[in-house]
Amino acid sequence: MIIAIDGPAGSGKSTVAKQVARMLGFQYLDTGAMYRSVAWYALEHQVNPDDVDALARIAQEKSIEFRAAQDDAQPSRVFIDGVDVTGEIRTPRIDKAVTPVSAIPEVRSALVLQQRAIASTHNVVMEGRDIGTVVFPNAEVKVFLTASAEERARRRAAQNRERGFGEVNESAILQDIIRRDEADSTRAASPLKPADDAHMLDTTDMSIDEVCETIAAFARDLL
Ligand code: DC
């Protein structure tokens, strides 16, 4: 079974997708981490951000792997070309660099192939922007999470404080969220939009447990 969870930055996708996967015993896949890893690799190797061919080659040729953390409570670790980038892909410089990288059709098609391969052998909860529309248009359960931009900025700020990112500027985070919403929704390649048959969940006033229970119930109805 495939559970596709899409939505804008800060809508709670990661927290919710991880918890739903744990509840159902499914594998969790964070596709944003794959786009972030490609952006990290490009910055690290001084690849020109306008060099579409070079960026596409990174997505096609560099292996991206998810490995379970030693401690179950910790998120799984992400590697590109054997380098652990789990922490570095969450920094503001990657928040910025990932937007143009994720708009390149050749990067998207290379990563979508990998996403489909992973789901061919596992029950998965996959989160991203285009999972229900492009990656798995036939996913059994599709959910589109939303929340107000202010609430999403508040959540992201709290998460960054927890991660020990030092001084956290919530209004800068809000501006970045608005910028990313606009870029992700208006790009030509696989723009962020709900699938016609997605369950729409506005999580602004819902607890994480309520959201997860709602999604798990959609899945259990089909199991
Ligand atoms: O979910 P996230 O913030 O980690 O995603 C990082 C970026 O990657 C985000 O700006 C949009 C893009 N992305 C995408 O275009 N398609 C996906 N399936 C997942 C993420």
Side-chain angles (χ1 to χ4, degrees):
M1 174 182 280
I2 293 162
I3 301 180
I5 302 185
D6 291 303
S11 58
K13 293 185 305 288
S14 300
T15 311
V16 163
K18 245 178 259 168
Q19 188 163 320
V20 170
R22 215 177 304 127
M23 287 162 78
L24 298 171
F26 285 18
Q27 183 160 334
Y28 159 68
L29 190 78
D30 170 7
T31 61
M34 300 173 80
Y35 291 94
R36 287 172 180 272
S37 298
V38 172
W40 177 88
Y41 190 96
L43 280 185
E44 192 66 14
H45 293 85
Q46 284 99 38
V47 171
N48 181 337
D50 297 326
D51 189 343
V52 169
D53 291 341
L55 292 165
R57 270 199 306 277
I58 298 170
Q60 287 155 359
E61 294 169 8
K62 302 298 163 195
S63 76
I64 300 173
E65 276 177 86
F66 292 89
R67 296 187 205 154
Q70 301 277 330
D71 170 357
D72 255 8
Q74 296 299 317
S76 61
R77 308 207 66 83
V78 190
F79 294 75
I80 183 162
D81 203 31
V83 181
D84 184 343
V85 292
T86 314
E88 287 193 43
I89 60 171
R90 302 291 160 198
T91 55
R93 84 180 178 125
I94 302 296
D95 286 346
K96 291 227 152 34
V98 69
T99 306
V101 168
S102 66
I104 299 171
E106 292 83 354
V107 168
R108 302 199 68 83
S109 53
L111 297 185
V112 166
L113 280 182
Q114 297 183 36
Q115 291 154 14
R116 289 189 182 140
I118 292 168
S120 66
T121 50
H122 294 87
N123 286 324
V124 292
V125 181
M126 198 172 289
E127 58 135 318
R129 303 292 191 289
D130 59 341
I131 310 303
T133 49
V134 174
V135 186
F136 293 111
N138 297 322
E140 288 87 343
V141 177
K142 297 182 188 178
V143 177
F144 195 88
L145 293 185
T146 56
S148 69
E150 289 73 19
E151 173 63 14
R152 291 187 281 127
R154 200 190 58 70
R155 291 176 187 168
R156 191 47 62 88
Q159 205 174 44
N160 287 357
R161 282 190 200 100
E162 244 168 58
R163 286 182 176 139
F165 280 7
E167 183 79 8
V168 172
N169 179 341
E170 198 168 314
S171 69
I173 292 177
L174 176 60
Q175 290 318 309
D176 189 59
I177 279 185
I178 292 168
R179 175 190 69 78
R180 284 213 279 156
D181 283 357
E182 170 73 12
D184 292 346
S185 320
T186 55
R187 70 178 176 221
S190 310
L192 170 68
K193 66 167 190 297
D196 291 338
D197 52 351
H199 298 281
M200 301 294 294
L201 276 187
D202 183 338
T203 69
T204 308
D205 298 314
M206 288 174 87
S207 72
I208 290 166
D209 285 349
E210 279 171 331
V211 178
C212 294
E213 267 310 329
T214 306
I215 298 173
F218 293 144
R220 287 195 192 106
D221 281 349
L222 300 172
L223 284 171

PDB file of all heavy atoms in Angstrom, residues 64-80:
ATOM      1  N   ILE A  64      21.642   7.996  -3.403  1.00  0.00           N
ATOM      2  CA  ILE A  64      21.044   8.589  -2.202  1.00  0.00           C
ATOM      3  C   ILE A  64      20.470   7.432  -1.399  1.00  0.00           C
ATOM      4  O   ILE A  64      19.701   6.633  -1.915  1.00  0.00           O
ATOM      5  CB  ILE A  64      19.932   9.595  -2.568  1.00  0.00           C
ATOM      6  CG1 ILE A  64      20.505  10.724  -3.430  1.00  0.00           C
ATOM      7  CG2 ILE A  64      19.282  10.158  -1.298  1.00  0.00           C
ATOM      8  CD1 ILE A  64      19.465  11.672  -3.988  1.00  0.00           C
ATOM      9  N   GLU A  65      20.896   7.352  -0.153  1.00  0.00           N
ATOM     10  CA  GLU A  65      20.466   6.218   0.695  1.00  0.00           C
ATOM     11  C   GLU A  65      19.895   6.716   1.997  1.00  0.00           C
ATOM     12  O   GLU A  65      20.381   7.712   2.560  1.00  0.00           O
ATOM     13  CB  GLU A  65      21.692   5.401   1.087  1.00  0.00           C
ATOM     14  CG  GLU A  65      22.140   4.381   0.103  1.00  0.00           C
ATOM     15  CD  GLU A  65      23.398   3.749   0.679  1.00  0.00           C
ATOM     16  OE1 GLU A  65      23.258   2.796   1.455  1.00  0.00           O
ATOM     17  OE2 GLU A  65      24.482   4.278   0.388  1.00  0.00           O
ATOM     18  N   PHE A  66      18.896   6.005   2.483  1.00  0.00           N
ATOM     19  CA  PHE A  66      18.365   6.273   3.825  1.00  0.00           C
ATOM     20  C   PHE A  66      18.764   5.086   4.686  1.00  0.00           C
ATOM     21  O   PHE A  66      18.554   3.941   4.299  1.00  0.00           O
ATOM     22  CB  PHE A  66      16.842   6.388   3.782  1.00  0.00           C
ATOM     23  CG  PHE A  66      16.363   7.604   3.039  1.00  0.00           C
ATOM     24  CD1 PHE A  66      16.144   7.569   1.665  1.00  0.00           C
ATOM     25  CD2 PHE A  66      16.130   8.793   3.713  1.00  0.00           C
ATOM     26  CE1 PHE A  66      15.712   8.695   0.975  1.00  0.00           C
ATOM     27  CE2 PHE A  66      15.697   9.927   3.030  1.00  0.00           C
ATOM     28  CZ  PHE A  66      15.489   9.871   1.664  1.00  0.00           C
ATOM     29  N   ARG A  67      19.368   5.355   5.847  1.00  0.00           N
ATOM     30  CA  ARG A  67      19.733   4.251   6.759  1.00  0.00           C
ATOM     31  C   ARG A  67      19.125   4.522   8.123  1.00  0.00           C
ATOM     32  O   ARG A  67      19.182   5.666   8.609  1.00  0.00           O
ATOM     33  CB  ARG A  67      21.252   4.164   6.926  1.00  0.00           C
ATOM     34  CG  ARG A  67      21.960   3.816   5.630  1.00  0.00           C
ATOM     35  CD  ARG A  67      23.444   3.562   5.868  1.00  0.00           C
ATOM     36  NE  ARG A  67      24.196   3.804   4.641  1.00  0.00           N
ATOM     37  CZ  ARG A  67      25.465   4.152   4.570  1.00  0.00           C
ATOM     38  NH1 ARG A  67      26.167   4.300   5.687  1.00  0.00           N
ATOM     39  NH2 ARG A  67      26.053   4.360   3.412  1.00  0.00           N
ATOM     40  N   ALA A  68      18.570   3.488   8.710  1.00  0.00           N
ATOM     41  CA  ALA A  68      17.952   3.641  10.036  1.00  0.00           C
ATOM     42  C   ALA A  68      19.000   4.112  11.034  1.00  0.00           C
ATOM     43  O   ALA A  68      20.161   3.703  10.964  1.00  0.00           O
ATOM     44  CB  ALA A  68      17.371   2.306  10.476  1.00  0.00           C
ATOM     45  N   ALA A  69      18.588   5.016  11.942  1.00  0.00           N
ATOM     46  CA  ALA A  69      19.511   5.465  12.992  1.00  0.00           C
ATOM     47  C   ALA A  69      19.678   4.340  14.012  1.00  0.00           C
ATOM     48  O   ALA A  69      18.831   3.448  14.107  1.00  0.00           O
ATOM     49  CB  ALA A  69      18.953   6.712  13.659  1.00  0.00           C
ATOM     50  N   GLN A  70      20.783   4.390  14.766  1.00  0.00           N
ATOM     51  CA  GLN A  70      21.035   3.373  15.813  1.00  0.00           C
ATOM     52  C   GLN A  70      19.900   3.381  16.833  1.00  0.00           C
ATOM     53  O   GLN A  70      19.423   2.344  17.255  1.00  0.00           O
ATOM     54  CB  GLN A  70      22.332   3.726  16.572  1.00  0.00           C
ATOM     55  CG  GLN A  70      23.559   3.804  15.703  1.00  0.00           C
ATOM     56  CD  GLN A  70      24.161   2.433  15.464  1.00  0.00           C
ATOM     57  OE1 GLN A  70      24.043   1.562  16.313  1.00  0.00           O
ATOM     58  NE2 GLN A  70      24.760   2.228  14.301  1.00  0.00           N
ATOM     59  N   ASP A  71      19.511   4.628  17.169  1.00  0.00           N
ATOM     60  CA  ASP A  71      18.492   4.820  18.189  1.00  0.00           C
ATOM     61  C   ASP A  71      17.153   5.047  17.467  1.00  0.00           C
ATOM     62  O   ASP A  71      17.040   5.952  16.645  1.00  0.00           O
ATOM     63  CB  ASP A  71      18.910   6.058  19.007  1.00  0.00           C
ATOM     64  CG  ASP A  71      17.823   6.521  19.948  1.00  0.00           C
ATOM     65  OD1 ASP A  71      16.730   5.928  19.933  1.00  0.00           O
ATOM     66  OD2 ASP A  71      18.071   7.488  20.692  1.00  0.00           O
ATOM     67  N   ASP A  72      16.161   4.201  17.761  1.00  0.00           N
ATOM     68  CA  ASP A  72      14.871   4.243  17.076  1.00  0.00           C
ATOM     69  C   ASP A  72      14.183   5.600  17.138  1.00  0.00           C
ATOM     70  O   ASP A  72      13.414   5.959  16.244  1.00  0.00           O
ATOM     71  CB  ASP A  72      13.936   3.206  17.707  1.00  0.00           C
ATOM     72  CG  ASP A  72      13.783   2.001  16.816  1.00  0.00           C
ATOM     73  OD1 ASP A  72      14.534   1.942  15.809  1.00  0.00           O
ATOM     74  OD2 ASP A  72      12.931   1.153  17.118  1.00  0.00           O
ATOM     75  N   ALA A  73      14.462   6.338  18.225  1.00  0.00           N
ATOM     76  CA  ALA A  73      13.789   7.628  18.397  1.00  0.00           C
ATOM     77  C   ALA A  73      14.353   8.680  17.437  1.00  0.00           C
ATOM     78  O   ALA A  73      13.737   9.715  17.200  1.00  0.00           O
ATOM     79  CB  ALA A  73      13.955   8.099  19.842  1.00  0.00           C
ATOM     80  N   GLN A  74      15.538   8.414  16.881  1.00  0.00           N
ATOM     81  CA  GLN A  74      16.181   9.391  15.990  1.00  0.00           C
ATOM     82  C   GLN A  74      15.704   9.177  14.550  1.00  0.00           C
ATOM     83  O   GLN A  74      15.364   8.056  14.168  1.00  0.00           O
ATOM     84  CB  GLN A  74      17.711   9.217  16.035  1.00  0.00           C
ATOM     85  CG  GLN A  74      18.335   9.502  17.388  1.00  0.00           C
ATOM     86  CD  GLN A  74      18.092  10.923  17.835  1.00  0.00           C
ATOM     87  OE1 GLN A  74      18.202  11.858  17.050  1.00  0.00           O
ATOM     88  NE2 GLN A  74      17.707  11.093  19.098  1.00  0.00           N
ATOM     89  N   PRO A  75      15.688  10.263  13.749  1.00  0.00           N
ATOM     90  CA  PRO A  75      15.287  10.089  12.353  1.00  0.00           C
ATOM     91  C   PRO A  75      16.327   9.265  11.599  1.00  0.00           C
ATOM     92  O   PRO A  75      17.497   9.220  12.002  1.00  0.00           O
ATOM     93  CB  PRO A  75      15.260  11.525  11.815  1.00  0.00           C
ATOM     94  CG  PRO A  75      16.067  12.334  12.754  1.00  0.00           C
ATOM     95  CD  PRO A  75      16.064  11.634  14.077  1.00  0.00           C
ATOM     96  N   SER A  76      15.913   8.619  10.483  1.00  0.00           N
ATOM     97  CA  SER A  76      16.900   7.848   9.727  1.00  0.00           C
ATOM     98  C   SER A  76      17.894   8.829   9.103  1.00  0.00           C
ATOM     99  O   SER A  76      17.599  10.013   8.910  1.00  0.00           O
ATOM    100  CB  SER A  76      16.229   6.985   8.668  1.00  0.00           C
ATOM    101  OG  SER A  76      15.546   7.796   7.759  1.00  0.00           O
ATOM    102  N   ARG A  77      19.072   8.335   8.794  1.00  0.00           N
ATOM    103  CA  ARG A  77      20.134   9.199   8.288  1.00  0.00           C
ATOM    104  C   ARG A  77      20.145   9.157   6.762  1.00  0.00           C
ATOM    105  O   ARG A  77      19.797   8.152   6.149  1.00  0.00           O
ATOM    106  CB  ARG A  77      21.479   8.781   8.877  1.00  0.00           C
ATOM    107  CG  ARG A  77      21.429   8.690  10.405  1.00  0.00           C
ATOM    108  CD  ARG A  77      22.749   8.931  11.070  1.00  0.00           C
ATOM    109  NE  ARG A  77      23.272  10.269  10.921  1.00  0.00           N
ATOM    110  CZ  ARG A  77      22.920  11.312  11.686  1.00  0.00           C
ATOM    111  NH1 ARG A  77      22.048  11.180  12.655  1.00  0.00           N
ATOM    112  NH2 ARG A  77      23.449  12.506  11.474  1.00  0.00           N
ATOM    113  N   VAL A  78      20.525  10.279   6.171  1.00  0.00           N
ATOM    114  CA  VAL A  78      20.519  10.411   4.707  1.00  0.00           C
ATOM    115  C   VAL A  78      21.956  10.521   4.216  1.00  0.00           C
ATOM    116  O   VAL A  78      22.729  11.319   4.761  1.00  0.00           O
ATOM    117  CB  VAL A  78      19.775  11.694   4.274  1.00  0.00           C
ATOM    118  CG1 VAL A  78      19.553  11.699   2.773  1.00  0.00           C
ATOM    119  CG2 VAL A  78      18.488  11.869   5.029  1.00  0.00           C
ATOM    120  N   PHE A  79      22.288   9.747   3.185  1.00  0.00           N
ATOM    121  CA  PHE A  79      23.635   9.768   2.617  1.00  0.00           C
ATOM    122  C   PHE A  79      23.537  10.065   1.128  1.00  0.00           C
ATOM    123  O   PHE A  79      22.661   9.531   0.453  1.00  0.00           O
ATOM    124  CB  PHE A  79      24.311   8.399   2.774  1.00  0.00           C
ATOM    125  CG  PHE A  79      24.594   8.011   4.200  1.00  0.00           C
ATOM    126  CD1 PHE A  79      23.572   7.581   5.037  1.00  0.00           C
ATOM    127  CD2 PHE A  79      25.891   8.072   4.705  1.00  0.00           C
ATOM    128  CE1 PHE A  79      23.825   7.224   6.356  1.00  0.00           C
ATOM    129  CE2 PHE A  79      26.159   7.711   6.019  1.00  0.00           C
ATOM    130  CZ  PHE A  79      25.130   7.294   6.847  1.00  0.00           C
ATOM    131  N   ILE A  80      24.436  10.929   0.632  1.00  0.00           N
ATOM    132  CA  ILE A  80      24.581  11.043  -0.825  1.00  0.00           C
ATOM    133  C   ILE A  80      26.035  10.745  -1.150  1.00  0.00           C
ATOM    134  O   ILE A  80      26.938  11.283  -0.504  1.00  0.00           O
ATOM    135  CB  ILE A  80      24.114  12.417  -1.384  1.00  0.00           C
ATOM    136  CG1 ILE A  80      24.245  12.410  -2.920  1.00  0.00           C
ATOM    137  CG2 ILE A  80      24.853  13.599  -0.770  1.00  0.00           C
ATOM    138  CD1 ILE A  80      23.453  13.493  -3.635  1.00  0.00           C
TER     139      ILE A  80
END
